[in-house]
């Protein structure tokens, strides 16, 4: 590991100011420290924000939640308000990693974690995300875990977060402190950028900005499900995952909110699919039409071709479970 400077921020404003000067923020470090050991990332200065007063989950006046960026994944998953009102989030967090990692991993860090692409981690291989212009070894390489939606000819890596997929379904917003602009709020979906020609620019955060809170709106009606298909039952990233919040009234789908993991460079959501499902009677034919629309632009790269039929079957299974009439 290369040498670097280390400082502790006294308050969020100081952390944002140091970030504006080029420092890298560290909280739990469950992803960053690995990347530093491998010299995938080599920051000259780290700013530790663990002493900031951002470790709390607060109820909002409208019945939602305001989650501090330093709330651990374990605390968020175990919070009774989350378990009762936003169970898809708790389920996603518990599927995400070992207990030891969840105890250290933070809410903000989870949203900003880097891809787990093999070639991104291997500094002997070309990677446009790690070294712009060097090429993408995953194209034509072993790309079993890689994306089938939202890719470009520069990058086909996936975003690894389970938590972000659930939060995307729940219409979460991100509260950002800027060194120059103060506080701003954006939809979680607007935090992420598609790779395009600049896969090394992964989010819309500007220099000198840090996530301070995540805001959840009031709980959704209906049934919430998180289904994760992976190679083994513990501590594995999703091949395909689906977070669903579906409400059925009088035999028809009143609302359907769906987000997908393991298939795109960001937590993937497609409003056209949700609109297609809304107001319709649940049926296998409807699931097929919805998946056809979802996969309209899907592209496999060889080793990951199986994700296309896998996503089709997984969505049908999730929608069957979400719309069954037993209320469980």
């Amino acid at each position: 590991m290369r040498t670097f400077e280390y400082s502790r921020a006294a308050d969020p404003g100081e952390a944002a100011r140091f970030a504006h000067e080029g420092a890298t923020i560290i909280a739990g470090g469950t992803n960053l420290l690995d990347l530093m050991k491998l010299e995938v990332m080599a920051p000259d200065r780290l700013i530790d924000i663990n002493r900031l007063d951002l470790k709390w989950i607060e109820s909002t006046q409208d019945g939602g939640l305001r989650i501090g960026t330093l709330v651990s994944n374990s605390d968020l998953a175990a919070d009774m308000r989350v378990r009762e009102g936003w169970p898809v989030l708790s389920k996603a967090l518990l599927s995400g990693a070992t207990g030891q990692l969840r105890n250290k991993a933070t809410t903000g860090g989870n949203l900003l974690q880097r891809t787990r692409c093999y070639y991104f981690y291997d500094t002997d291989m070309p990677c446009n995300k790690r070294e712009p212009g060097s090429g993408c070894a995953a194209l034509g390489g072993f790309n079993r875990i890689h994306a089938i939606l939202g890719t470009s000819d520069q990058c086909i890596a996936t975003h690894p977060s389970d938590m972000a997929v659930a939060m995307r379904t729940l219409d979460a917003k991100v509260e950002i402190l800027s060194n120059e602009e103060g506080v701003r709020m954006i939809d979680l979906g607007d935090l992420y950028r598609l790779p395009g020609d600049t896969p090394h620019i992964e989010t819309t955060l500007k220099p000198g900005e840090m996530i301070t809170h995540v805001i959840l709106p009031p709980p959704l009606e209906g049934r919430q499900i998180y289904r994760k298909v992976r190679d083994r039952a513990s501590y594995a990233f999703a091949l395909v995952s689906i977070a669903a919040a579906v409400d059925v009234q009088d035999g028809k789908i009143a609302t359907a909110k769906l987000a997908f993991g393991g298939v795109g460079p960001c937590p993937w959501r497609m409003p056209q699919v949700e609109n297609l499902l809304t107001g319709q009677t649940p049926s296998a034919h409807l699931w097929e039409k919805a998946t056809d629309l979802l996969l309209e632009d899907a592209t496999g790269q060889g080793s990951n071709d199986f994700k296309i039929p896998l996503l089709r079957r997984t969505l049908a299974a999730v929608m069957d479970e979400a719309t069954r009439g037993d209320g469980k």
Side-chain angles (χ1 to χ4, degrees):
M1 185 183 294
R2 300 180 185 179
T3 59
F4 56 88
E5 294 182 21
Y6 171 86
S7 304
R8 291 193 178 107
D11 55 61
E14 184 177 59
R17 177 169 59 83
F18 283 135
H20 182 73
E21 296 170 357
T24 298
I25 291 173
I26 185 170
T30 57
N31 186 206
L32 176 60
L33 293 178
D34 285 342
L35 294 171
M36 291 175 64
K37 290 174 184 177
L38 294 170
E39 295 192 355
V40 175
M41 294 182 66
D44 294 323
R45 186 177 188 184
L46 293 183
I47 300 302
D48 188 337
I49 64 170
N50 280 290
R51 295 191 177 186
L52 303 186
D53 191 26
L54 296 171
K55 299 181 180 180
W56 312 108
I57 305 172
E58 307 166 284
S59 297
T60 59
Q61 291 184 348
D62 64 355
L65 290 180
R66 187 170 186 249
I67 304 162
T69 194
L70 293 177
V71 173
S72 73
N73 288 181
S74 290
D75 287 346
L76 185 57
D79 188 279
M80 191 55 64
R81 290 166 294 183
V82 175
R83 292 173 62 186
E84 292 180 351
W86 300 266
V88 66
L89 176 56
S90 183
K91 294 172 185 176
L93 285 162
L94 292 173
S95 76
T98 64
Q100 295 94 326
L101 283 172
R102 292 198 303 269
N103 288 342
K104 289 295 294 180
T106 61
T107 298
N110 190 299
L111 295 178
L112 297 177
Q113 62 184 299
R114 310 292 299 276
T115 182
R116 261 56 178 191
C117 171
Y118 320 116
Y119 303 104
F120 174 70
Y121 272 74
D122 186 349
T123 55
D124 290 330
M125 301 299 292
C127 172
N128 289 319
K129 188 179 288 289
R130 187 185 66 248
E131 186 179 347
S134 63
C136 176
L139 286 167
F142 184 62
N143 46 49
R144 184 172 182 272
I145 65 170
H146 288 71
I148 57 174
L149 295 168
T151 61
S152 73
D153 58 4
Q154 300 293 308
C155 182
I156 59 171
T158 56
H159 192 276
S161 175
D162 292 283
M163 184 192 79
V165 177
M167 285 188 167
R168 189 82 198 275
T169 294
L170 297 171
D171 296 320
K173 294 184 180 297
V174 181
E175 188 176 306
I176 296 167
L177 176 63
S178 168
N179 179 64
E180 296 183 339
E181 302 175 16
V183 177
R184 66 187 181 102
M185 192 91 69
I186 62 172
D187 292 331
L188 176 59
D190 293 333
L191 176 65
Y192 300 106
R193 289 170 49 112
L194 295 179
D197 294 329
T198 55
H200 60 291
I201 305 175
E202 298 172 337
T203 74
T204 57
L205 289 179
K206 304 171 186 176
E209 292 189 332
M210 64 173 287
I211 295 173
T212 58
H213 296 87
V214 176
I215 312 299
L216 294 182
L220 299 169
E221 298 291 335
R223 182 181 281 122
Q224 296 182 21
I225 296 168
Y226 189 73
R227 181 166 297 198
K228 180 177 181 179
V229 183
R230 45 191 165 174
D231 284 323
R232 60 183 186 273
S234 64
Y235 192 30
F237 297 103
L239 297 172
V240 166
S241 67
I242 300 178
V246 181
D247 186 30
V248 178
Q249 299 289 340
D250 300 323
K252 294 186 181 296
I253 299 172
T255 57
K257 296 178 181 290
L258 302 165
F260 305 88
V263 295
C266 60
W268 198 260
R269 189 168 174 185
M270 194 171 179
Q272 301 96 306
V273 173
E274 299 172 8
N275 294 337
L276 174 66
L277 293 168
T278 302
Q280 302 299 312
T281 301
S283 70
H285 179 62
L286 180 61
W287 313 152
E288 185 176 350
K289 287 177 60 179
T291 314
D292 286 344
L293 180 58
L294 174 65
L295 294 171
E296 191 172 41
D297 295 321
T299 303
Q301 298 292 339
S303 302
N304 68 346
D305 290 351
F306 73 96
K307 286 192 176 187
I308 294 175
L310 178 60
L311 181 55
R312 183 178 296 277
R313 293 194 298 270
T314 306
L315 180 57
V318 166
M319 291 305 299
D320 279 342
E321 181 181 351
T323 57
R324 69 188 182 196
D326 58 11
K328 296 181 182 178

